[in-house]
Amino acid sequence: MEKFFPGKTYFVEPPLDKDTAQLAKGYDVAVLFVNDRADAPVVEALANAGIKLIALRCAGFDRVDLQACAAHGIRVVRVPTYSPESVAEHAVALIFALNRHLTDAYIRVRMGNYSLSGLVGMEMRHKVVGVVGTGAIGAQAARILKGIGCKVYAYDIKPNPAVEAMGIKYLALDELLAISDIVTLHCPLLPSTRHLINRESIQKMKKGAMLINVSRGGLIESAALFDALESGQIGALGLDVYENEGGLFFVDHTKFDPSVRMQNWDRQFRTLLSYPQVLVTPHSAFLTEEALNNICTTTIQNIADYTLGKPLPNEVKAQPSPAPAPAGKA
């Protein structure tokens, strides 16, 4: 960033919130990452500091209040596609690691335990995998899974012709959940998708199915997972995201004094980690050299386009509020 905007770039390590927003004073652009918070109070603070553009180094914009940005004249740009293959490959890596109990096997061998009990997996070939959300990432996940011999089905409100061209059939969500040995989530977090996987939908899943989420934590109702894991309704759970990850991920909490560390303690998250059939990575699915390069290039281009007064192809805007329903007759 400094290379392209020499002497005009200021790096701040703490995440964005209402307090750190004051540090943006004197700058035109705030560059945010996936867990920076830009709700209405933060947006107002950024506007008061003089910010005119929020440039997101990620695809998701669910933590940005677009209505507040519009009200304050702040435009928002993002990186819609940086490396679908990277995220899709990580989802498949979680599937393989859980299926073949790789973390358990690794820990055992390190400790000198070479027993095989509890390490039985299944062949992926011919297993039914449901891909929920078939945008750029979901399509790549479907391609990889089909390539290793899985029987892949898909769900999306708007079918992707590229996925259909692979011979993959679209099903209703309930039907997909009922037949899938593995369900992998690849949809954005919107009001319509929040808690897409909840107590009710989990009960519609095939008993013992594996659930993977490398998209957004809010797609899953975290509190609904405990009973499902303990009953065996969910046989294995792989997460790269978590519903309340904002104060947890991207930070080394081991460097803090215990009293400070406890301020960000999440009992629900720690409980999830304690289950032997759960594998969590710290929102690192995107973390490849290719993805980082693409994120950097697109972010710089977004800022340059804004600075030069060019169109912003990666801009996101608030959707107009739906008109109120007409009042019924008395």
Side-chain angles (χ1 to χ4, degrees):
M1 194 72 72
E2 178 66 25
K3 176 182 177 181
F4 292 92
F5 303 100
K8 299 180 180 180
T9 304
Y10 177 43
F11 295 94
V12 179
E13 186 170 347
L16 176 67
D17 56 28
K18 190 175 180 180
D19 295 324
T20 57
Q22 315 302 322
L23 299 173
K25 189 173 181 61
Y27 292 85
D28 299 311
V29 182
V31 182
L32 280 55
F33 196 41
V34 63
N35 279 332
D36 286 316
R37 190 175 84 242
D39 56 18
V42 171
V43 170
E44 182 178 5
L46 289 175
N48 291 338
I51 291 296
K52 301 177 181 63
L53 177 73
I54 289 177
L56 299 168
R57 304 194 314 275
C58 55
F61 50 90
D62 50 277
R63 294 178 69 85
V64 179
D65 190 324
L66 297 178
Q67 297 283 0
C69 288
H72 289 283
I74 297 177
R75 301 177 74 178
V76 181
V77 289
R78 62 172 180 146
V79 183
T81 304
Y82 40 87
S83 180
E85 294 83 0
S86 298
V87 182
E89 288 171 6
H90 192 87
V92 177
L94 287 174
I95 292 171
F96 273 109
L98 283 164
N99 177 37
R100 301 307 298 269
H101 308 283
L102 296 185
T103 52
D104 292 338
Y106 170 76
I107 292 170
R108 285 189 191 184
V109 170
R110 294 277 293 182
M111 296 175 63
N113 177 358
Y114 307 107
S115 67
L116 302 181
S117 177
L119 300 182
V120 178
M122 61 183 182
E123 284 189 0
M124 292 292 295
R125 185 168 174 264
H126 298 319
K127 291 300 180 289
V128 178
V129 182
V131 178
V132 180
T134 54
I137 296 171
Q140 290 300 322
R143 175 187 60 81
I144 297 170
L145 291 162
K146 187 174 177 64
I148 59 177
C150 295
K151 191 169 182 61
V152 181
Y153 292 96
Y155 166 77
D156 203 311
I157 57 172
K158 185 179 180 181
N160 185 341
V163 173
E164 292 178 313
M166 299 180 206
I168 294 172
K169 183 180 179 181
Y170 279 83
L171 302 176
L173 181 59
D174 287 354
E175 185 180 358
L176 179 142
L177 295 177
I179 66 171
S180 296
D181 299 299
I182 301 166
V183 176
T184 180
L185 307 179
H186 300 282
C187 35
L189 181 59
L190 304 168
S192 59
T193 61
R194 181 173 293 278
H195 291 176
L196 184 71
I197 302 300
N198 51 50
R199 292 183 188 277
E200 182 179 349
S201 58
I202 287 173
Q203 292 307 310
K204 296 176 181 177
M205 292 173 64
K206 185 176 181 179
K207 188 172 178 63
M210 181 188 297
L211 177 61
I212 303 292
N213 186 9
V214 296
S215 187
R216 286 291 181 266
L219 296 175
I220 298 177
E221 181 187 1
S222 301
L225 293 171
F226 302 110
D227 288 343
L229 288 165
E230 291 171 15
S231 69
Q233 180 64 21
I234 292 179
L237 176 68
L239 302 175
D240 186 57
V241 290
Y242 169 61
E243 190 171 11
N244 303 312
E245 70 179 55
L248 293 172
F249 287 6
F250 309 128
V251 178
D252 179 7
H253 294 277
T254 63
K255 67 183 180 182
F256 296 129
D257 178 89
S259 61
V260 176
R261 191 175 179 184
M262 293 306 295
Q263 294 176 13
N264 286 320
W265 193 261
D266 188 316
R267 183 181 298 176
Q268 179 176 254
F269 182 65
R270 299 303 302 184
T271 303
L272 270 179
L273 291 180
S274 70
Y275 285 86
Q277 69 273 49
V278 173
L279 176 58
V280 179
T281 52
H283 208 133
S284 57
F286 76 98
L287 200 59
T288 63
E289 293 179 1
E290 294 83 355
L292 291 173
N293 182 66
N294 292 337
I295 289 170
C296 181
T297 300
T298 303
T299 301
I300 290 170
Q301 188 62 57
N302 284 339
I303 297 172
D305 288 344
Y306 172 80
T307 303
L308 298 172
K310 294 183 177 181
L312 301 178
N314 297 323
E315 184 174 12
V316 288
K317 298 181 179 181
Q319 296 297 314
S321 300
K329 293 182 180 180

